[in-house]
C-alpha cells in the first residue's frame, strides 16, 4: 500500500507543480499584456479628445469663413463703419442723442434689478413692481386746461424775437 500512497503523492506533487507553473505563466502573460492595453486605452481617450478639438476647430473655421465673406461685402463694411466708427455718408445728416446730466438712465437688460427693502414683506415688493412705473418711466400726467381768458396779443412783426 505504500506504493499507492507514494504514487498519489507524486501525482499530487506534479499536479501542484503544474498549477504553479501555469499560474506563473499566466502572471507573466498578464504583466506582459498590461502595458500595451493601458497604452491602447490612453490613446483611445486621447483620440476622442483630439476629435472633439478638431470638431471645435472646424466650427471655428466655418465661422471665420462666414465672417470673411461678410467682410468682403461693401454693404456690410459700410454698415459697420457707420455703427462702430460713426461714419456718415455724403448727404446724410448726422445726429447724436445726448441725455441731460440729471436724467435717469433706464436699466439695461441683464443688469441686476433694484434691491427690495428687506424690512418689507415679499408681497409689498411684488405690489410695488406692479403698481409703480416700470423701469423708471413715470406715467404721463394730463396737463390742466387753463381757464379761458383774454389771449395775449401777438408781437408786432418788426419786434426782435424773444431771447435773441
Amino acid at each position: 500500500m505504500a506504493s499507492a500512497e507514494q504514487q498519489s503523492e507524486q501525482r499530487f506533487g506534479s499536479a501542484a507543480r503544474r498549477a504553479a507553473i501555469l499560474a506563473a505563466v499566466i502572471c507573466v502573460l498578464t504583466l506582459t499584456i498590461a502595458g500595451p492595453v493601458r497604452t491602447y486605452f490612453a490613446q483611445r481617450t486621447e483620440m476622442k479628445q483630439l476629435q472633439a478639438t478638431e470638431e471645435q476647430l472646424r466650427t471655428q473655421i466655418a465661422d471665420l469663413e462666414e465672417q470673411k465673406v461678410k467682410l468682403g461685402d461693401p454693404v456690410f463694411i459700410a454698415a459697420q463703419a457707420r455703427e462702430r466708427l460713426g461714419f456718415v455718408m455724403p448727404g446724410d445728416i448726422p445726429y447724436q442723442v445726448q441725455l441731460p446730466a440729471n436724467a435717469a438712465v433706464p436699466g439695461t437688460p441683464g443688469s441686476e434689478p433694484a434691491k427690495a427693502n428687506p424690512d418689507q414683506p415679499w408681497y409689498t415688493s411684488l405690489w410695488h413692481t406692479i403698481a409703480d412705473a416700470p423701469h423708471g418711466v413715470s406715467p404721463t400726467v394730463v396737463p390742466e386746461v387753463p381757464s379761458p381768458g383774454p389771449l395775449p396779443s401777438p408781437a408786432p412783426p418788426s419786434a426782435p424775437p424773444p431771447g435773441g
Side-chain angles (χ1 to χ4, degrees):
M1 265 229 124
S3 67
E5 287 180 9
Q6 287 178 351
Q7 287 179 355
S8 80
E9 279 185 25
Q10 287 177 355
R11 285 184 203 156
F12 180 70
S14 66
R17 283 188 204 124
R18 287 181 186 163
I21 292 172
L22 182 62
V25 168
I26 289 175
C27 287
V28 169
L29 287 176
T30 303
L31 293 175
T32 304
I33 294 174
V37 169
R38 184 179 55 173
T39 305
Y40 169 75
F41 285 116
Q43 287 177 349
R44 275 186 53 185
T45 305
E46 185 180 358
M47 225 167 119
K48 287 179 183 177
Q49 291 173 349
L50 289 174
Q51 286 173 346
T53 304
E54 180 185 9
E55 185 62 34
Q56 289 175 350
L57 290 174
R58 288 191 187 280
T59 305
Q60 187 178 5
I61 287 171
D63 292 343
L64 290 173
E65 290 289 335
E66 183 179 322
Q67 186 178 4
K68 180 181 174 184
V69 170
K70 280 184 184 177
L71 290 175
D73 184 17
V75 174
F76 180 77
I77 297 295
Q80 290 299 311
R82 286 177 180 224
E83 180 182 329
R84 292 182 182 184
L85 303 175
F87 284 10
V88 181
M89 295 297 288
D92 287 351
I93 300 173
Y95 64 93
Q96 187 175 20
V97 177
Q98 294 181 347
L99 296 175
N102 60 357
V105 178
T108 58
S111 65
E112 291 192 25
K115 299 283 183 183
N117 188 354
D119 298 333
Q120 296 178 344
W122 65 270
Y123 49 84
T124 304
S125 59
L126 176 65
W127 177 253
H128 286 302
T129 60
I130 297 170
D132 292 347
H135 305 294
V137 179
S138 61
T140 56
V141 178
V142 178
E144 294 183 20
V145 177
S147 62
L151 295 173
S153 61
S158 63

